[in-house]
Amino acid sequence: LRTDPTETSPDTTTEPVSIPNVDLTAISLKYTQLDTAAEDGTTVYSFRYPIPYLVTVRADVTQDVTVDLMGRIDDGSELEAQAQAAYGTEGFTPYSLSVSYTPTRVDVGVLSLYGEVRSYPSGVHASFLSTAVSYDLLTGAELHLSDILNGNVTAEQLCTLLLASLSKQEGNLYADYANVAAERVQDCMNGADGWYFTTTGLCFFFSPYDIAPYSAGEQTFFIPYDLVKPYLNDYGLHLLELDT
């Protein structure tokens, strides 16, 4: 049975950013843990996740974005079932799933969050997945890369900017990293979540094993807005102005 949620860590992430002459926009993430116990009371599975507390200039947007964020969090019911089935086997250690978000841009126009999902099956190193999501805080709509790019930009052009950043760590990357990066940019332009906003540029990220060994960890590469600007449409440029 799962126990009631309890606050397990004081590491609440709060990243408010105010814009002159506008109402405050802010987000706070409070982390909560649910534990599943076997019949004898032993914890076999733990699920840690954030509850977002968001403030925007519009109450309806605040509600819509909060509901969407919570809906993106998978409670790992399949992993929980595996933990319950495995309990009692030799060498068993509790399973766990941890979901975290880090705000990377918070202002009157944009909320962007980078996320990590780490799962720990018994006796196995963590499975790691990176994710991200961005919202237009004036409408509540999710922001995709294609929303901010002009109609003439190609995946190859954006990939050139990304590869300039990747090449600085070329010695740590797999030999085919350039091909994987090109596919990632194309996927992002088609709606995938492999990127996010910061206050000064766009970041593209790769989970372990994508372009480098697991030991190298997650790979993140930054493209400053001054290099991206020529490829933005009017909407994209407007979003940049809201952060100045």
Side-chain angles (χ1 to χ4, degrees):
L1 299 177
R2 281 190 174 177
T3 60
D4 291 333
T6 56
E7 293 180 20
T8 59
S9 172
D11 61 342
T12 300
T13 303
T14 305
E15 294 290 343
V17 179
S18 60
I19 306 299
N21 302 318
V22 299
D23 294 323
L24 176 69
T25 303
I27 186 170
S28 178
L29 300 168
K30 185 166 290 186
Y31 285 85
T32 298
Q33 182 165 310
L34 293 172
D35 294 321
T36 299
E39 291 184 0
D40 62 4
T42 301
T43 297
V44 298
Y45 175 72
S46 296
F47 170 49
R48 185 175 184 270
Y49 65 98
I51 299 175
Y53 294 86
L54 179 65
V55 177
T56 75
V57 297
R58 290 179 48 181
D60 58 334
V61 168
T62 298
Q63 179 176 343
D64 290 347
V65 171
T66 299
V67 169
D68 187 80
L69 271 175
M70 289 301 296
R72 291 173 180 273
I73 299 175
D74 181 356
D75 68 357
S77 56
E78 182 176 341
L79 189 64
E80 178 187 12
Q82 292 173 7
Q84 291 175 320
Y87 178 61
T89 59
E90 184 178 356
F92 175 86
T93 57
Y95 289 35
S96 67
L97 177 67
S98 176
V99 179
S100 65
Y101 281 116
T102 300
T104 59
R105 177 177 165 183
V106 186
D107 56 64
V108 69
V110 172
L111 170 64
S112 198
L113 297 155
Y114 166 73
E116 296 181 350
V117 180
R118 295 176 182 267
S119 59
Y120 294 84
S122 182
V124 181
H125 71 65
S127 174
F128 180 95
L129 177 67
S130 303
T131 185
V133 63
S134 298
Y135 300 96
D136 181 332
L137 290 186
L138 299 180
T139 67
E142 182 183 352
L143 287 169
H144 299 286
L145 191 59
S146 58
D147 294 331
I148 65 172
L149 299 176
N150 66 51
N152 298 320
V153 65
T154 65
E156 289 75 16
Q157 288 173 311
L158 276 186
C159 189
T160 298
L161 300 180
L162 179 58
L163 289 176
S165 179
L166 283 165
S167 64
K168 298 174 184 177
Q169 299 187 35
E170 190 169 20
N172 300 320
L173 307 179
Y174 293 146
D176 65 342
Y177 78 89
N179 293 329
V180 177
E183 293 175 0
R184 174 61 53 85
V185 171
Q186 185 63 67
D187 288 345
C188 289
M189 292 182 68
N190 291 337
D193 70 349
W195 69 283
Y196 55 83
F197 289 100
T198 73
T199 57
T200 55
L202 300 181
C203 272
F204 288 80
F205 58 86
F206 299 84
S207 294
Y209 296 122
D210 283 349
I211 60 172
Y214 183 88
S215 58
E218 187 248 8
Q219 303 289 310
T220 302
F221 300 94
F222 175 76
I223 305 176
Y225 283 136
D226 60 351
L227 296 182
V228 178
K229 243 179 180 180
Y231 304 113
L232 299 181
N233 57 23
D234 290 342
Y235 178 53
L237 292 171
H238 174 63
L239 292 179
L240 293 193
E241 293 172 359
L242 293 174
D243 190 39
T244 58

